[in-house]
Structure formats: C-alpha cells, structure tokens
Amino acid sequence: MKRKIVEWIRKVLIHTVLPLRKRKELFFSKFYFSIAFRISLNYLRLLLINSVVFCFLFVGVYLGIAAFDNDTLEDQIVSSLTNEETTIADLGERNPYYTEGLSLTITNEDTKEVVFNDIENSIRKRNSFFNKIFYGDVEGQTLLIVKNEQDIKIGNSNYTIYFQFDLTGERLLLTRLLPFVILLLAIFIACVIIYGKKGDEKLFLPMDEMSKLANRLTVNNLQSERINLAGTKNELRDLAETINQMLDRIELSYESQKQFVSDASHELRTPIAVIQGYVNMLDRWGKADEEVLEESIEAIKNESKAMQELVEKLLFLSRHDKKTLKLEKHIFNMRVLVEDMLKETKMVAANRVIETKALEDVAVYGDKQALKQAIRVFIDNAVKYTSDGDSIFISCENKNGDCVISVEDTGIGMTKRDVDNIFERFYRSDHVRDRKISGHGLGLSIAKLIVLKHTGNICVRSQYTKGSNFIVTIPKPR
C-alpha cells in the first residue's frame, strides 16, 4: 500500500511539477543573465528575506521589552499588597501605583466584590490574539491593550488582580521607528548590491580573460597564449591552470601531428622521386633498351612496395590515434606462433645463424595476427641490423603463466640515446642512417602499440657494437 501511494505521488509530480519546471527553464532560456548578475540577484533575494525577518524580530523584541517592564511592575504591585505595607482600603478611588498606561481591577474572590477598578469601561474589544493582547476602541481611537491577571492572598481573603497595560504609545513609537529601520535596510541592501556586483565582476575577471583567450587562439599563437595565473588561489584559478595544461597537451598533440605529417611526407617523397625518375628514363630510352626497361620495372616495383608498407603503417597508426583499431582476441598457444616465425626467418635469412634458447607452451589471450606483426618487427630489425654470420636468438618462455618472448641479436647495437627514442615515430639513429639501412622508423612504434593493447610491456637491453635484446612480456589470461 505504501509503495502504491509513493508511486501515485511520483506520477502526480511528474505530470505537474516537471512540466512547470520545463516551462520555467524554457522561459528563462530566452534571456541572457551573466553569472555576476545571478549572484547579485541571489544577494538581493537573501537580503530581502533577512530584512523581513529582521523587521519582525525587531517588533517582537521591542514589544518583548515592554512586556518585561510590565511584568516587573506587576511583581512590585503584588509584593507591596502582600507584605501588608498597603491595604486594599488604602487604594481608595485612585491607583497609588499608577503608571501611564497601567490600569487595575481587584476582585475579592470570596465575596465576588470588585474592591478596586480604574479600567475604562468604555473600551470596546475589537480583536484578540494570544488571549492576552487585543485591540480596543475608545472614542474612535484604536488602542493596543495587554491584559494579565494574578491570584493573591491578603490576610484571610483571596483576591484576583486584573492588570491592563495600554501599549498604544509604544505602538505609535514603533510605527514611527519602522520606516527609518526599513530605509536604513534599503540603503544597506543597495550598498551590498552595488559593491557586491563590483566584487563579482572582479572575481570573474579570469573568466573574461579565458573568453578573450579562446577568441584569440589560432594555430599560429598556440605556443604563446596562456592564461595569467597570478593572484589569489581559488576555483577559477584552478580552472585557469587546468585550461593551460589542456592547451599544453593540445600544443604537444598538434606539434606531434605536424611532425608526423612532415616525416610521412619526407618518407614518401623519396620513393615518389625514384619512381618519377625511372618513369622519365623509361619515357626516354626504355622503349628500345630492354636492360633499362628491366631495371626500371624492378626499381618501380621495389619503391611501390616500400610505399605500400609505409602507407599501411600510417593507416595502422591513424586507426590507433582515432580509437578505431580493433583487435580480435582469443586464447592460443604462443609457442606454435613463434615456431612458425622461427622457420620463416631461417628461410629468408639463410646467411644469419637463427637459433632458439627456449620454446615452451604458454597460453596467450590476444590477437594472433597483431602479435605476429609485432614480433615480426623485432625479428626484421634483428636481421636488418646484423651482418652475415651474426646470430639471432628467438625464444618463447612460460614464466608463472606469463608469456615472455625474447629476440636477441649480435648486431650493431644501440647507444643509450637511441634506446630512449627508438619507440618514437619516424625516429632513426644517426649511425643507422650513415650505414644507409632502409626503413621508415615506424615499426617499433607499431610493435609497442600492439604490445600495450595486450597490457604487456617491452624491455630493451642493448650495447653499442655488441647487439640488442628485446624482451616482450604478455601477462597470463585472466
């Protein structure tokens, strides 16, 4: 039953409150309100609410003080009557304790006789609240009357004293004071709004600077434009610092992409120039000279193949950068894959000594073709950077369920600077360029991306002129 009631209330709110809220949002969406204006408006709302509350509290405190004074006077009168300093007969027809606005009625409860009364009988009750305060009329004049009564014992007789205080004077004084209080509150609110708005505008200066910076940003000034972080630490300063860090990342990414395009253009320029050269040579002499024709065809085929490999590598990197690279993973035995690659390497690199230190069964969860492509990069580099008679060791080991693949060679090795940069795109060592060893500098970048996609890691050990060792570790399937 409770659930049904809650569900019914929820449906009612959905059909009543939500449409009203949407209409409100739609209405206010037509207007542009700055954040500073919204904060100032919130100041105004809070100040108005607090001002109204203050006025009610001021009136309550003022009347409370008057009531406290009246209670003190009541206690004095009761104390005087009960300590036998004054008798009821001494009152006569006039209240000896008369204070402006105070009237008494004393009734003997034993005989129900009114022994003293100086309350105006002409006061006509108009309205009452709290059973003690009411409005009255005397000859057309509105009075604010506070009444109270106490039971006392004088001698052997019981009496009831009825006190009546006329607070009309206090009410009139309060009526004259309230406009001044409200005026002071209005001046105070105006000052808060004016100076608060200036403070808000100063507070949001970083946002204005951010907006201007965003309008100024172009490709040409991406390096120099940053938000000034000087000043007090606050949330906007943190936001500015975050935006500066974002701009640093964008600049780095842009420079990387620019360098990538430049390097790719440079790598493509050479094969295109070679192809154009041989095409021109064919156009001039190749039609009649079979030797020139055969040489040109062979060169064009080789350069076309190199261009195709380069374009495929660039497409692979582009799919990775766009997060569109998909791997088809399944569990397979890595030992079988490494054995096949070992046989292939022995066939294509017959002038190298291809050996294995260990071949162990190990289950791997991953994309078989992608991992083969990555391992092929390490093997091709080992073949490329070794000479005839050098040794290449390819191994596959199972270490506590993890797959550890090692490709070690006794080739030219690398310097420490080369080891730190070999996984960067298009990076090629200077002494490799001097030896005129072909390559684009993309293979290791692609291999690293594939290994990382399989949550693996690569360890490189190399000594210049002594050889290199690439160790790939792929964690066991979970």
Side-chain angles (χ1 to χ4, degrees), residues 8 44 64 95 97 101 120 131 138 158 166-167 176 182 187 200 211 229 274 293 302 313 372 415 429 471:
W8 179 80
L44 179 61
N95 180 3
Y97 310 101
E120 291 285 349
N131 296 322
V138 176
N158 295 314
D166 183 3
L167 298 182
R176 295 168 65 182
I182 294 173
I187 295 173
D200 295 340
S211 178
L229 297 178
V274 171
L293 178 61
N302 293 335
K313 291 177 179 178
K372 183 177 181 180
T415 63
S429 174
I471 304 170

Side-chain angles (χ1 to χ4, degrees), residues 429-441:
S429 174
D430 292 335
H431 63 269
V432 169
R433 294 181 185 273
D434 294 340
R435 292 169 182 255
K436 296 183 180 179
I437 300 175
S438 62
H440 304 111

Side-chain angles (χ1 to χ4, degrees), residues 147-197:
K147 63 180 182 178
N148 196 10
E149 64 180 50
Q150 289 193 35
D151 295 328
I152 63 173
K153 189 171 184 178
I154 303 176
N156 296 323
S157 301
N158 295 314
Y159 294 90
T160 298
I161 303 179
Y162 181 85
F163 299 92
Q164 181 172 291
F165 299 95
D166 183 3
L167 298 182
T168 303
E170 284 81 355
R171 179 177 65 84
L172 293 175
L173 179 60
L174 184 62
T175 304
R176 295 168 65 182
L177 280 175
L178 271 179
F180 291 100
V181 173
I182 294 173
L183 178 62
L184 291 175
L185 283 174
I187 295 173
F188 173 73
I189 291 173
C191 292
V192 170
I193 293 297
I194 293 172
Y195 290 103
K197 188 173 184 299

Side-chain angles (χ1 to χ4, degrees), residues 6 15 46 58 68 78 95 126 128 159 170 184 275-276 306 347 370 380 407 411 449 470:
V6 172
H15 290 87
L46 292 175
F58 178 77
F68 177 77
V78 170
N95 180 3
R126 288 181 55 197
S128 176
Y159 294 90
E170 284 81 355
L184 291 175
I275 291 174
Q276 286 179 340
M347 292 177 59
D380 288 345
V407 179
L449 293 177
F470 288 83

Side-chain angles (χ1 to χ4, degrees), residues 105-165:
T105 296
I106 303 177
T107 304
N108 189 325
E109 290 297 323
D110 298 331
T111 61
K112 300 300 180 183
E113 177 186 1
V114 177
V115 296
F116 182 82
N117 182 15
D118 65 348
I119 295 178
E120 291 285 349
N121 294 324
S122 60
I123 297 177
R124 183 170 59 87
K125 182 177 178 182
R126 288 181 55 197
N127 190 17
S128 176
F129 48 96
F130 303 126
N131 296 322
K132 290 186 177 182
I133 305 174
F134 65 89
Y135 286 108
D137 282 343
V138 176
E139 297 177 356
Q141 182 182 4
T142 302
L143 305 177
L144 179 62
I145 307 299
V146 177
K147 63 180 182 178
N148 196 10
E149 64 180 50
Q150 289 193 35
D151 295 328
I152 63 173
K153 189 171 184 178
I154 303 176
N156 296 323
S157 301
N158 295 314
Y159 294 90
T160 298
I161 303 179
Y162 181 85
F163 299 92
Q164 181 172 291
F165 299 95

Side-chain angles (χ1 to χ4, degrees), residues 42-54:
N42 193 45
Y43 284 158
L44 179 61
R45 180 174 62 86
L46 292 175
L47 286 172
L48 288 176
I49 293 174
N50 291 330
S51 298
V52 172
V53 173
F54 173 80

